[in-house]
Each structure stands twice: as structure tokens, then as C-alpha cells.
């Protein structure tokens, strides 16, 4: 998943991607005050072959907002606390995942991101109803260790 705040462009990431290995690109979209900029990002992602767009809504509310999102027609919800960097004192993603899963009542897929430090965190999220779990930092840590020991 590529953030719309990434330092690499939508097109650069697509050109570096090997689609032969079954990779699928998703864009994490922040809604900008300049709606034309937001729309241009969506169009560029579509033209580059991205398969999904995650609209990022930073909110401390959970179940109620998830139901509203499903009513608006979303296909999936990503439960994330941005590593607790955006909102101070937010709940851990594992602690709120089940509330979101129950609120949407199977009407959309629910994914989880944030707070994943070990494999058991992935298993817990799947057991609580997540369709999949995004892991960012553990992969980066593994790559950093590989570089340190080569």
C-alpha cells in the first residue's frame, strides 16, 4: 500500500513493481482541501493499475463510523492507529478490532494495521475477524538486520 504522502510517486512504485509475482498495489489516500489534487491522485492510481484505494479518515470513533462507511458503500475497512502517531492516547488496534468487525456484520472486509510486533499479533487479529493484517515495521526491522549482518 502506497501512502499519498509517500516520497515516491504512484508511477515510480508501479514501474518498480513486478506484477508477475501476483502483487497488487493499493493507494492510501488522504483527502486534501484541494479536491482537484485528491481527484488527480485517484485518476493517476487508476491509470497506473492500482486495484484499490483506501480513504484515510483519522477519527477516534469506531463502530459508529464503520457502519456509516459501509452504508456509503466501502468494500473494506482498515483499522489502524497510525502507530499512535496521529492521535495521542488512542486505543491499540487489537483492542478495537472486534468492535469494528461486529459493527459491520460481515458487510465488508476488515483489515488491521498497527501494533503488530510478532506473529502472535497476526494470529490474534485473524481470530478477532480481520481478513488480513498489514505489517510494516517488522518487515523493515528484518531488512535492517539482514543488512547489518551481511
Amino acid at each position: 500500500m502506497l501512502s499519498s504522502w509517500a516520497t515516491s510517486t504512484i508511477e515510480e512504485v508501479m514501474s518498480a513493481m513486478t506484477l508477475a509475482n501476483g502483487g497488487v498495489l493499493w493507494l492510501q489516500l488522504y483527502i486534501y482541501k484541494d479536491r482537484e489534487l485528491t481527484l488527480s491522485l485517484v485518476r493517476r492510481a487508476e491509470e497506473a493499475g492500482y486495484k484499490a484505494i483506501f480513504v484515510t479518515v483519522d477519527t477516534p470513533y469506531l463502530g459508529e463510523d464503520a457502519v456509516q462507511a459501509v452504508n456509503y458503500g466501502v468494500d473494506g475497512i482498515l483499522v489502524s492507529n497510525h502507530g499512535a502517531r496521529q492521535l495521542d492516547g488512542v486505543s491499540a488496534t487489537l483492542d478495537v478490532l472486534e468492535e469494528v468487525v461486529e459493527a459491520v456484520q460481515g458487510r465488508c472486509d476488515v483489515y488491521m494495521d498497527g501494533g503488530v510486533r510478532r506473529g502472535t499479533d497476526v494470529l490474534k487479529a485473524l481470530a478477532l475477524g480481520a481478513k488480513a493484517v498489514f505489517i510494516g515495521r517488522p518487515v523493515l526491522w528484518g531488512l535492517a538486520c539482514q543488512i547489518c549482518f551481511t
Side-chain angles (χ1 to χ4, degrees):
M1 182 183 309
L2 177 70
S3 171
S4 56
W5 289 356
T7 56
S8 297
T9 68
I10 291 168
E11 295 80 12
E12 288 170 338
V13 171
M14 180 50 122
S15 68
M17 183 70 180
T18 305
L19 296 180
N21 69 7
V24 177
L25 290 173
W26 296 355
L27 177 67
Q28 177 190 18
L29 181 69
Y30 288 86
I31 304 297
Y32 295 97
K33 288 180 184 177
D34 180 349
R35 295 297 197 252
E36 287 301 314
L37 173 61
T38 303
L39 184 57
S40 75
L41 289 169
V42 170
R43 288 186 176 142
R44 285 173 50 206
E46 289 175 336
E47 289 171 11
Y50 284 64
K51 299 299 180 192
I53 296 175
F54 273 77
V55 178
T56 299
V57 181
D58 292 332
T59 176
Y61 304 106
L62 305 167
E64 181 184 325
D65 288 337
V67 170
Q68 263 189 325
V70 170
N71 289 340
Y72 280 116
V74 301
D75 294 320
I77 293 175
L78 176 62
V79 178
S80 175
N81 64 7
H82 297 284
R85 296 182 313 271
Q86 305 299 325
L87 298 169
D88 188 34
V90 295
S91 302
T93 52
L94 271 174
D95 293 341
V96 299
L97 177 63
E98 189 173 19
E99 177 184 345
V100 174
V101 169
E102 289 175 1
V104 300
Q105 300 176 350
R107 295 174 22 200
C108 75
D109 293 332
V110 178
Y111 303 89
M112 193 193 87
D113 175 51
V116 178
R117 300 296 183 259
R118 57 190 62 85
T120 54
D121 294 331
V122 174
L123 292 175
K124 290 174 192 175
L126 295 175
L128 290 171
K131 179 172 183 169
V133 180
F134 292 72
I135 53 171
R137 289 182 190 169
V139 172
L140 295 176
W141 293 335
L143 291 171
C145 286
Q146 182 180 5
I147 292 168
C148 291
F149 295 110
T150 56

